[in-house]
Amino acid sequence: MALVSVFIIWGAFFPANVEYVLGIVDTYISNTFGWFYLLVTTGFVLVALFLIFGPYGKIKLGKPDEKPDYSYFTWFAFLFTAGMGVGLVFYGVTEPVTHYYSPPSAEPETIAAAEESMQYTLFHWGLHPWATYAVLALALAYFKFRHRAPALISSTFAPLFGDRVKGPLGIAIDTLAVFATVFGIATSLGLGATQITAGLSFSFDGIENNLATNLIVILIVTVLFILSATTGINKGIRYLSWANVVLAIALMAFVFVLGSSVQMIESFTTTIGNYVQNLPSMTLNMNAFTGEREFLNAWTLFYWAWWIGWSPFVGTFIARVSRGRTIREFVIGVTAVPVLFSALWFSVFGIAGLEMDAAQGGVIHQLMNELGNEVALFAFLEQQPMAAVVIGVAVLLIASFFITSADSGTFVLSMLTTGGELNPGMGIKAIWGVILAAIAAVLLWSGGLNALQMAMLISAFPFGILMILMCISLIKALRSEHGIITIEKRQRQLDPKFREKQQKELKKMREGFMETLPDAEEDRDF
C-alpha cells in the first residue's frame, strides 16, 4: 500500500511528469520487447490446448467425488462479468469502426477493411486473453482445491522453488501480482468511468463530458462497490453477474432484431472462419519487414498486456468459483464459450455500427475523433428507437459491470495482501477500494486513457515472466501426479504380485511429489 501510495502522490502533484515518464518506458518496452508479449500469450494458448487434449484432462480440481459449486449458467456469468464485461461494451462499436478507417493492412474504408476489422477485433478478444486467464486460474484452483494450498499466487511456484515461496521470494511474487492487478483494474475503472460519463452527457444536456464528471462517477461507483463487497460472492457479485448477463443479452438482442440480422449471422461465421485461418500469422506477426508498428503497439500489444495484467485478478476469481470441475471441462469452459460469445457480440454491434456509420457519412467515426472513443456506443444507440431507454439500459449495464469488476478486484487484492485469507475483513476491502479509485483518478488526471494503457503495458511485463514459470510449475506437478494416478490404476487392475512390487515405488513417488507442493492449510471454503 505504501508503494502504491507513492505512485498516487506522484500522479496527483506531478501529472505531466507521470505521463512523460510512462511514455518513455512504454515506448521502450513496446519497441524492444513487443515480441515477448506475442510469444508469451501464444505460449498460453498452446498450454491451454495441451491441457484440453493432453493426458491430464480428467484430473479434478478438488476431491474425486466433489461436485461443482455453481451451475453452468452462474459459472459462465461469473466468467463474463469478471473477464471482460466492461471491455466488450466499451469496444463493441468502437473497435470495428476504428479498424475500418485504420486497418492493419487493407485499404481503409473498403469491404476488405471491414472484413479485416472484424477479424482483428475477434483476434484481440478471442483465444489469447481467455487462455491467459485459464492457465493462471487453473494453477490456483489445482493447488488450492486438490492440495489445499494457500490461496496465493506464490503457492503455485512451490514445485519449482520449494519452501522459498514462504519467504521473501513468495512475498515478492505476491507483491508483483498486486501491482499488476491494481493497474489492470484501474484501467477498466477508467474505461468504465469515461463511458458512463459519455452516456450521461448524451442523455442529459446539463452534464458535461469532462474530467470532473469522470471523477464524480468514480467516487459514486466506489461507494457502491464497497457496499456490494460487504455481501460477498454468493449474494452481491452473484446476483449482479446474473443481471449483467441478462441485460447484455437483452441489449444485443435489441440491436440484432432491429439491424441487418442476416448480415450479422453471416459476419459471425465469416469472421470465425477468417480468424481460424489467419490465427498463426496474426499471432506471430511483428511487422518486422514493413516497420509499421502503430497498429501493433496501440492495439495488439496493449491488449496482450491488459490480459496479462488482469490475469491475477480474473484468474483468482475464476479459480474461486471453479471447484469440482475437471481440468478439461474447466479449460474448455474458460476458453471456448467466452470466445464464441465475443464473436457473436462483435458481429452484432460491429456490423450495426459500421452500417450506421456508412449510412450517415461517417458520423460515428467523426464523433470518436472529436469527443473520444467512449462516445461511439452512445452515438450508435442515439439513432435507435426508444433511444433514451436504450441508452439508460446501456449506462446501467456499464455501471453494473463497473461495480462487479471493482468488487471482485477488491476481494482478490484483499486476499493477496492478507496471506491468502479466504474471507478478508471489510476494512481491508474498503482500503483497496479507495486505492483503486485513486489510481484510476490519478491516471485519468495525468493523461487520460493513454496513461492508463501505458501503466498497464509496463506493469504486465514482469508478471508475464512469472506466468511462464507458473506454467512450468503447473505442468511439472500435473506430470508427477498423473504418474501416481496411472500406477494406482494399474495396481487396481493387475495381479497382487504387481501391486506388491510397485507399492514401494508408488510410496516413494507420492512422498517426493508431496514435498514439492506448498504447505497445506486448514480446510476452509475458498
Side-chain angles (χ1 to χ4, degrees):
M1 291 183 183
L3 292 173
V4 173
S5 298
V6 169
F7 182 87
I8 295 174
I9 294 171
W10 178 31
F13 290 97
F14 306 100
N17 185 253
V18 170
E19 185 178 18
Y20 174 74
V21 173
L22 289 180
I24 292 176
V25 178
D26 174 74
T27 300
Y28 177 78
I29 290 178
S30 298
N31 293 333
T32 308
F33 296 104
W35 56 268
F36 170 80
Y37 290 108
L38 293 188
L39 290 180
V40 75
T41 52
T42 302
F44 298 148
V45 173
L46 296 177
V47 170
L49 292 174
F50 171 73
L51 291 170
I52 292 174
F53 298 105
Y56 312 135
K58 293 183 179 180
I59 296 177
K60 183 167 283 191
L61 303 176
K63 299 175 183 178
D65 57 346
E66 265 189 314
K67 301 297 182 182
D69 289 341
Y70 300 99
S71 66
Y72 277 118
F73 177 79
T74 301
W75 189 45
F76 291 137
F78 281 144
L79 299 183
F80 181 70
T81 297
M84 52 183 60
V86 172
L88 284 177
V89 178
F90 186 95
Y91 287 104
V93 174
T94 298
E95 186 165 350
V97 171
T98 301
H99 295 343
Y100 175 70
Y101 286 91
S102 301
S105 59
E107 185 71 23
E109 301 178 53
T110 61
I111 295 177
E115 187 172 3
E116 194 172 66
S117 72
M118 298 300 296
Q119 174 184 316
Y120 269 86
T121 299
L122 180 57
F123 173 55
H124 293 149
W125 296 82
L127 281 175
H128 287 72
W130 287 102
T132 302
Y133 294 160
V135 294
L136 187 144
L138 179 63
L140 283 169
Y142 170 76
F143 287 109
K144 174 59 189 177
F145 295 138
R146 195 164 182 88
H147 300 292
R148 299 184 182 180
L152 292 170
I153 300 291
S154 57
S155 296
T156 64
F157 292 86
L160 283 183
F161 301 123
D163 289 341
R164 284 177 290 177
V165 298
K166 294 185 290 185
L169 177 61
I171 294 174
I173 290 172
D174 292 325
T175 300
L176 185 56
V178 167
F179 271 87
T181 301
V182 164
F183 286 110
I185 299 174
T187 301
S188 290
L189 296 187
L191 291 175
T194 55
Q195 198 170 36
I196 290 174
T197 301
L200 294 174
S201 178
F202 259 79
S203 302
F204 303 99
D205 294 334
I207 299 178
E208 296 185 8
N209 188 1
N210 54 26
L211 177 63
T213 310
N214 285 334
L215 297 180
I216 293 173
V217 169
I218 289 176
L219 176 63
I220 294 173
V221 174
T222 299
V223 173
L224 293 176
F225 77 69
I226 289 177
L227 291 175
S228 173
T230 63
T231 64
I233 288 179
N234 288 323
K235 292 184 179 179
I237 300 177
R238 185 179 192 172
Y239 297 147
L240 283 174
S241 297
W242 288 348
N244 289 342
V245 172
V246 171
L247 283 175
I249 292 176
L251 185 62
M252 182 169 61
F254 177 82
V255 175
F256 177 78
V257 170
L258 294 181
S260 302
S261 304
V262 174
Q263 176 67 17
M264 292 172 184
I265 296 174
E266 292 177 348
S267 170
F268 174 75
T269 58
T270 301
T271 299
I272 289 180
N274 290 338
Y275 172 69
V276 173
Q277 180 181 357
N278 296 286
L279 186 59
S281 61
M282 291 189 297
T283 296
L284 300 174
N285 184 18
M286 285 295 299
N287 292 344
F289 298 102
T290 63
E292 297 289 338
R293 295 295 294 270
E294 183 177 355
F295 181 89
L296 183 69
N297 289 351
W299 289 97
T300 303
L301 294 185
F302 162 66
Y303 273 127
W304 285 186
W306 193 4
W307 308 137
I308 293 172
W310 254 51
S311 61
F313 151 53
V314 179
T316 302
F317 187 75
I318 292 175
R320 171 67 176 80
V321 298
S322 299
R323 188 209 303 259
R325 305 197 181 275
T326 64
I327 287 178
R328 182 171 291 115
E329 178 188 16
F330 174 87
V331 179
I332 291 175
V334 176
T335 54
V337 175
V339 170
L340 289 175
F341 186 88
S342 297
L344 183 60
W345 180 273
F346 284 110
S347 295
V348 171
F349 283 91
I351 292 300
L354 288 171
E355 289 183 344
M356 179 175 291
D357 183 74
Q360 298 189 1
V363 65
I364 294 180
H365 185 251
Q366 182 181 350
L367 286 173
M368 289 165 57
N369 288 333
E370 294 175 356
L371 304 177
N373 290 336
E374 59 270 19
V375 305
L377 175 66
F378 300 103
F380 165 73
L381 294 178
E382 194 178 36
Q383 305 302 317
Q384 303 297 322
M386 301 183 296
V389 175
V390 177
I391 289 177
V393 171
V395 171
L396 181 62
L397 178 62
I398 295 165
S400 183
F401 275 133
F402 196 156
I403 292 170
T404 50
S405 294
D407 189 350
S408 306
T410 56
F411 181 84
V412 171
L413 285 169
S414 300
M415 285 175 53
L416 292 175
T417 51
T418 55
E421 175 61 45
L422 302 180
N423 296 292
M426 186 55 210
I428 191 72
K429 291 180 184 178
I431 291 173
W432 276 117
V434 172
I435 287 178
L436 287 175
I439 287 285
V442 162
L443 289 173
L444 286 174
W445 168 261
S446 61
L449 292 180
N450 287 333
L452 289 167
Q453 293 175 359
M454 289 187 292
M456 165 59 63
L457 189 76
I458 294 167
S459 65
F461 179 72
F463 195 77
I465 299 173
L466 284 184
M467 287 193 65
I468 296 174
L469 298 175
M470 183 185 297
C471 289
I472 296 172
S473 179
L474 174 64
I475 297 299
K476 181 180 178 181
L478 288 173
R479 184 175 59 184
S480 297
E481 183 167 10
H482 182 260
I484 295 171
I485 294 173
T486 301
I487 292 179
E488 288 178 334
K489 183 178 180 180
R490 292 178 66 187
Q491 279 189 325
R492 290 191 297 268
Q493 295 174 344
L494 299 179
D495 60 87
K497 290 183 179 180
F498 177 84
R499 292 199 298 271
E500 184 178 349
K501 182 180 177 180
Q502 295 295 316
Q503 191 64 38
K504 291 183 180 179
E505 180 181 349
L506 176 60
K507 181 179 179 181
K508 183 178 179 180
M509 289 178 64
R510 186 183 290 111
E511 289 174 350
F513 173 60
M514 296 303 295
E515 288 177 358
T516 67
L517 294 174
D519 293 338
E521 60 179 6
E522 62 182 87
D523 191 11
R524 296 178 292 176
D525 290 335
F526 179 37

